[in-house]
């Protein structure tokens, strides 16, 4: 098989907080067009790791390649422009703005890259995105007045609106009801048709339903990586994370 | 969709109506009040410039008097010393404020919050002291009086004198109307949406792919240009350029006008400015301790209109107000 360039490649990526190595010498490859899940206990370094990919944080050492290009020191806003979108673990929609404006911001950013922002095109794209997540009816509500589940969905919609090549979802189902989770699984499957998805997720049901590949992190290091069935069978993972039983 | 359309129509009608009413003021207002309105319109323009940065972008500057005064000196000095034409010095005034805001923006935007307030205040203080230091040219606190003959525009064989009360009012109104309509366009545009989003959550805006620093810098420069235009107009219309306009009092005034009228409302600066003008005018006729009364009025206003007059009206009754 011809060697395909991974979409993301990290080499010896390290980030410390004080003495704590939140991300410790991580080599990681992300294959294009897949849904890749990262799991691991609280404090394993998952959010820190994807923050390094998205540029929210800069690494202490190591390199990050995106589609073969070195983006280690590229500022966050430029990474978004080359196609890396990040949705926050802690919901951070613009609570005082309308749902419409929340989605218009990423859409207009994308349109701006191709030149002028045409109001007609903006309007149409915003509603396309809202329709995709089933929130068109809420377009004129204030984002802060939405239910928690809808705010999480809006957060994803904002990532989608950028039409990224890589969409990073940081615990998107946290705090959602079972019904909402089912809708969400469908949505991610659909997103994955156009984009590579990197999914941090605690809910193993969601992970098993969606992931093509799973990486397990613990103490800032990669503990194991493989297909869902390989991970399920891995004894070290059972011990460190799955803890025997409740999966 | 239809709701959005009808709101847009309503908004344009409201702004057009305000401009038409003000135009009628030129013919209906008694002389004394027409003079008050002329000044208020120019200062409301200054406040609109301030509002773009403070109200919409959420950057609280305590030094905007320097941009107002840069416009004023940028226009006034070449008129006084070099006898340049009015249209030309209006442009040099705006350019001076634009350059100053670019320089101050690049440096001050490295800070946020309280530090930003302090840094802008320090820059304004330096500017104020400079107007005193170069007293040979500025005549410091005493200032420069621009003679009416230097404040006339030759146009198609006619002389338009800026010291004529009606001309003065109409020029002030023209500047105000242009800035009002441009601000309205701006805050309803994609750029305006980005500014508001920066005010709400800067980090999120960055993670949506925006260069936040560059966007904020653009807002500072835009605000500086508008304030400079107001300062240039003020000097040329009222014939006086003095360091008092560069003092911290004028920075605070812009903040006060905007807070009273309603931050992040397009018409708030006008409402706030007129309100302050008339409160001071009325109370100073009652007692020499009028500032005390002004203080009481302001406290009452903040109690009942915590978001300023139009800000509170928008929140309670008219959510479509821009
Ligand atoms: N900004 C920060 N300053 C100091 N320490 C931090 C910071 N961010 C994370 N940490 C620490 O780094 C470690 C990894 O945190 P991180 O948020 O990456 O974990 P996580 O795997 O995302 O956990 P969770 O599942 O709880 O979201 C934790 O010990 C955390 O306390
Ligand atoms: Mg996390």
């Amino acid at each position: 098989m011809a060697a395909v360039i991974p979409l993301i490649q990290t080499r010896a990526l390290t980030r410390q907080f004080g003495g704590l190595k939140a991300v410790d010498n991580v080599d990681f490859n992300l294959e294009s067009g897949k849904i890749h899940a990262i799991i691991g206990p609280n404090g394993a370094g998952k959010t820190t790791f994807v923050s390094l990919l998205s540029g929210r944080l800069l690494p202490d050492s190591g390199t990050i390649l995106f589609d073969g290009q070195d983006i280690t020191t590229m500022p966050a806003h430029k990474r978004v422009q080359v196609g890396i979108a990040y949705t926050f673990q802690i919901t951070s929609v613009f609570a005082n703005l309308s749902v419409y404006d929340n989605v218009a911001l990423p859409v207009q950013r994308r349109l701006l890259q191709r030149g002028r922002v045409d109001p007609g095109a903006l309007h149409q794209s915003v509603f396309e995105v809202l329709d995709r997540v089933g929130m068109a009816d809420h377009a004129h509500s204030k984002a802060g007045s939405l239910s928690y589940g809808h705010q999480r969905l809006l957060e994803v919609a904002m990532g989608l609106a950028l039409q990224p090549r890589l969409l990073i979802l940081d615990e998107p189902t946290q705090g959602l009801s079972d019904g909402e989770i089912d809708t969400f699984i469908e949505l991610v499957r659909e997103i994955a048709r156009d984009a590579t998805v990197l999914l941090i997720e605690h809910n193993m049901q969601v992970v098993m339903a969606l992931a093509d590949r799973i990486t397990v992190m613990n103490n800032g290091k990669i503990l194991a990586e493989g297909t869902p069935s390989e991970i399920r069978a891995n004894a070290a993972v059972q011990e460190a994370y799955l803890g025997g039983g409740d999966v | 969709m239809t709701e959005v359309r009808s709101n847009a129509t309503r908004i344009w009608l409201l702004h057009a109506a305000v401009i038409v009413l003000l135009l009628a003021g030129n013919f209906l207002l008694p002389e004394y009040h027409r003079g008050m309105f002329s000044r208020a319109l120019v200062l409301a323009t200054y406040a609109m410039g301030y509002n773009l940065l403070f109200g919409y972008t959420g950057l609280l500057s305590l030094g905007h008097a320097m941009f107002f005064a840069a416009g004023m000196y940028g226009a006034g000095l070449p008129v006084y010393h070099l006898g340049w034409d009015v249209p030309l010095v209006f442009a040099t005034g705006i350019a001076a404020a634009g350059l100053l805001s670019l320089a101050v923006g690049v440096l001050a935007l490295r800070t946020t919050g309280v530090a930003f307030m302090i840094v802008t205040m320090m820059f304004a203080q330096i500017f104020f002291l400079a107007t005193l230091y170069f007293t040979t040219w500025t005549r410091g606190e005493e200032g420069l009086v621009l003679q009416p003959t230097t404040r006339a525009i030759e146009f198609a064989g006619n002389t338009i004198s800026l010291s004529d009360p009606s001309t003065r009012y109409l020029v002030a109104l023209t500047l105000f109307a242009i800035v009002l309509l441009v601000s309205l366009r701006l805050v309803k545009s994609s750029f305006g949406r980005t500014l508001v989003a920066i005010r709400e959550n800067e980090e999120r805006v960055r993670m949506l792919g925006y260069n936040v620093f560059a966007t904020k810098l653009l807002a500072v420069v835009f605000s500086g240009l508008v304030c400079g235009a107001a300062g240039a107009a003020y000097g040329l219309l009222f014939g006086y350029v003095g360091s008092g306009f560069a003092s911290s009092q004028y920075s605070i005034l812009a903040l006060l006008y905007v807070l009273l009228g309603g931050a992040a409302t397009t018409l708030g600066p006008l409402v706030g400015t007129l309100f302050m003008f008339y409160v001071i005018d009325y109370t100073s006729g009652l007692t020499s301790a009028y500032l005390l009364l002004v203080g009481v009025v302001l406290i009452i206003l903040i109690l009942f209109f915590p978001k300023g007059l139009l800000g509170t009206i928008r929140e309670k009754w008219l959510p479509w107000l821009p």
Side-chain angles (χ1 to χ4, degrees):
Chain A
M1 206 177 79
V4 200
I5 302 178
L7 190 61
I8 285 275
Q9 215 173 349
T10 74
R11 289 291 163 262
L13 202 61
T14 300
R15 169 71 202 218
Q16 309 197 5
F17 294 112
L20 176 83
K21 287 193 169 170
V23 171
D24 188 2
N25 226 7
V26 168
D27 293 333
F28 174 82
N29 284 346
L30 176 65
E31 212 179 312
S32 193
K34 294 276 162 69
I35 300 178
H36 193 132
I38 300 181
I39 62 174
N42 291 116
K46 307 180 295 294
T47 296
T48 307
F49 178 66
V50 295
S51 295
L52 295 172
L53 301 185
S54 69
R56 278 183 75 206
L57 295 174
L58 289 177
D60 296 321
S61 59
T63 53
I64 308 168
L65 303 183
F66 179 67
D67 205 10
Q69 184 196 357
D70 189 333
I71 58 162
T72 313
T73 56
M74 185 187 269
H77 69 270
K78 290 232 176 87
R79 295 191 203 198
V80 178
Q81 292 172 20
V82 299
I84 303 177
Y86 174 77
T87 69
F88 285 65
Q89 174 169 7
I90 297 159
T91 305
S92 70
V93 298
F94 300 99
N96 288 323
L97 304 189
S98 68
V99 168
Y100 181 94
D101 281 338
N102 270 273
V103 177
L105 281 157
V107 171
Q108 73 189 27
R109 173 60 263 181
R110 171 167 58 77
L111 295 178
L112 205 63
Q113 222 162 329
R114 307 202 191 122
R116 234 174 62 79
V117 179
D118 170 63
L122 175 69
H123 197 81
Q124 197 190 337
S125 299
V126 170
F127 274 97
E128 269 167 28
V129 172
L130 288 176
D131 277 334
R132 250 178 111 178
V133 298
M135 286 184 67
D137 292 347
H138 298 281
H140 298 289
S141 319
K142 236 176 148 188
S145 71
L146 297 174
S147 70
Y148 180 77
H150 273 125
Q151 290 193 26
R152 295 288 331 169
L153 214 51
L154 177 57
E155 182 84 46
V156 175
M158 290 163 78
L160 258 185
L162 291 164
Q163 294 186 355
R165 296 179 61 197
L166 169 63
L167 179 62
I168 301 171
L169 299 167
D170 197 348
E171 297 200 26
T173 66
Q174 201 178 38
L176 296 193
S177 70
D178 289 347
E180 286 169 332
I181 287 180
D182 291 340
T183 322
F184 183 82
I185 289 176
E186 277 319 302
L187 178 62
V188 174
R189 280 209 183 105
E190 204 200 300
I191 292 171
R193 287 211 290 261
D194 319 310
T196 307
V197 175
L198 183 57
L199 173 71
I200 298 180
E201 186 56 67
H202 273 299
N203 184 328
M204 287 309 290
Q205 217 182 318
V206 176
V207 173
M208 292 303 169
L210 284 172
D212 299 307
R213 259 191 113 65
I214 299 176
T215 296
V216 187
M217 280 187 79
N218 195 18
N219 291 326
K221 290 197 167 75
I222 291 182
L223 185 68
E225 193 180 309
T227 62
S229 48
E230 284 166 3
I231 293 301
R232 222 195 302 250
N234 185 312
V237 175
Q238 292 287 343
E239 179 126 356
Y241 181 50
L242 306 179
D246 66 320
V247 181
Chain B
M1 193 65 211
T2 46
E3 193 195 325
V4 173
R5 283 256 167 73
S6 74
N7 272 348
T9 317
R10 230 186 290 185
I11 288 166
W12 282 108
L13 281 177
L14 172 69
H15 288 73
V18 168
I19 292 170
V20 169
L21 269 179
L22 287 168
L23 183 62
N26 183 47
F27 308 102
L28 303 176
L29 285 172
E31 199 52 58
Y32 175 72
H33 293 282
R34 181 161 74 170
M36 287 259 283
F37 266 67
S38 303
R39 280 174 201 272
L41 283 172
V42 179
L43 287 180
T45 306
Y46 169 43
M48 282 192 283
Y50 186 77
N51 192 27
L52 281 174
L53 196 65
F54 166 64
Y56 290 96
T57 322
L59 291 168
L60 203 166
S61 148
L62 287 180
H64 258 51
M66 70 181 139
F67 303 134
F68 186 76
M72 186 178 254
Y73 280 104
L77 290 175
V79 166
Y80 189 86
H81 293 291
L82 305 170
W84 288 7
D85 284 345
V86 168
L88 179 62
V89 299
F90 187 61
T92 55
I94 293 175
L99 288 176
L100 181 65
S101 57
L102 182 65
V104 169
V106 166
L107 296 170
L109 285 174
R110 289 157 182 273
T111 64
T112 53
V114 177
F116 183 78
M117 290 157 60
I118 292 171
V119 170
T120 48
M121 194 165 76
M122 297 308 283
F123 275 117
Q125 193 61 22
I126 293 169
F127 189 92
F128 172 62
L129 292 175
T131 64
L132 296 178
Y133 181 80
F134 295 104
T135 210
T136 334
W137 292 289
T138 63
R139 301 179 40 129
E141 258 169 294
E142 192 190 322
L144 308 170
V145 174
L146 309 178
Q147 292 308 322
T149 50
T150 64
R151 295 189 284 121
I153 306 170
E154 298 295 334
F155 184 73
N158 299 315
T159 305
I160 304 167
S161 167
L162 295 184
S163 31
D164 169 63
S166 172
T167 308
R168 192 141 77 179
Y169 185 94
L170 292 175
V171 170
L173 176 56
T174 305
L175 176 68
F176 169 83
I178 290 172
V179 171
L180 177 66
L181 296 178
V182 169
S183 318
L184 178 60
R185 259 316 278 266
L186 187 93
V187 302
K188 287 270 149 202
S189 70
S190 310
F191 182 64
R193 182 183 285 124
T194 313
L195 296 186
V196 170
I198 287 177
R199 179 188 75 199
E200 296 294 316
N201 185 346
E202 198 174 309
E203 163 77 350
R204 190 66 175 107
V205 175
R206 188 163 73 97
M207 295 312 294
L208 289 176
Y210 289 90
N211 184 337
V212 171
F213 181 85
T215 311
K216 289 203 284 193
L217 184 59
L218 215 54
V220 171
V221 171
F222 205 82
S223 171
L225 288 171
V226 170
C227 295
Y234 202 94
L236 293 170
L237 291 175
F238 304 106
Y240 172 74
V241 172
S243 60
F245 292 104
S247 68
S248 58
Q249 189 198 341
Y250 268 79
S251 295
I252 302 294
L253 270 184
L255 175 62
L256 195 63
Y257 293 154
V258 169
L259 282 176
L260 284 180
T265 63
T266 48
L267 289 165
L270 173 69
V271 172
T273 310
L274 282 174
F275 183 85
M276 268 305 275
F277 262 64
Y278 277 92
V279 167
I280 289 177
D281 187 56
Y282 182 70
T283 54
S284 60
L286 294 179
T287 158
S288 59
Y290 69 95
L291 280 179
L292 196 71
L293 279 181
V294 172
V296 172
V297 170
L298 292 186
I299 289 168
I300 292 172
L301 197 83
I302 290 302
L303 285 178
F304 290 97
F305 293 88
K307 297 201 163 166
L309 289 161
L310 288 187
T312 307
I313 287 173
R314 165 166 72 189
E315 191 173 70
K316 294 208 169 130
W317 301 291
L318 304 175
W320 52 270
L321 269 186

